[in-house]
Amino acid sequence: QVQLVESRGGLVQGGGSLRLSCSASGRPVRIEYMGWFRQPPGKERAFVAAITWNGGSTYYSDPVKGRFTISKDAAENTMYLQLNSLNPEDTAVYYCAARPYGDVSISPYYAGAYAYWGRGTQVTVSS
């Protein structure tokens, strides 16, 4: 089992920045991807970014490309999402997720392949 805890969300003005953290703990398992998803109020959960366990490859959704950066500190079992140039459309609950090794044909964008989820951290961007 893996426990994931997100932190460092908050309230920020448009154009500002935040850095989210995701800490992993529990029984060690082999993880293929770590990812960030978000759920705006009244909308479906959507992919934001993902990173391979060794940090060698990253993936981003179109709305965040060039503004957000995903990274990972393997030694401390911590993943980060740097959010820059924030706008009110980025307001959402942000979830950390982990995907075990499985079907390699499944896209890293697919939420259903992620087996472990944090409880979320709120990011609110004001006008």
Side-chain angles (χ1 to χ4, degrees):
Q1 61 181 17
V2 175
Q3 290 81 46
L4 303 174
V5 179
E6 307 94 337
S7 63
R8 306 300 299 274
L11 175 64
V12 65
Q13 290 186 332
S17 298
L18 287 171
R19 193 188 194 207
L20 308 183
S21 297
C22 172
S23 297
S25 62
R27 186 185 309 174
V29 297
R30 285 187 56 80
I31 299 297
E32 184 174 20
Y33 299 103
M34 298 288 292
W36 289 97
F37 295 77
R38 67 184 182 184
Q39 187 167 18
K43 297 183 179 181
E44 298 290 333
R45 188 176 303 183
F47 173 82
V48 176
I51 187 169
T52 51
W53 179 252
N54 65 4
S57 299
T58 58
Y59 309 84
Y60 297 94
S61 66
D62 287 339
V64 309
K65 287 180 180 178
R67 299 190 297 123
F68 294 4
T69 303
I70 190 171
S71 61
K72 184 176 180 292
D73 181 350
E76 298 182 3
N77 295 316
T78 304
M79 180 178 63
Y80 305 95
L81 185 68
Q82 179 69 42
L83 302 85
N84 295 330
S85 301
L86 287 163
N87 60 66
E89 298 300 317
D90 297 314
T91 294
V93 177
Y94 283 71
Y95 296 91
C96 173
R99 169 176 161 173
Y101 275 92
D103 189 344
V104 298
S105 69
I106 298 176
S107 168
Y109 299 80
Y110 180 53
Y114 289 78
Y116 308 103
W117 294 83
R119 296 174 64 184
T121 187
Q122 177 70 46
V123 172
T124 302
V125 185
S126 63
S127 300

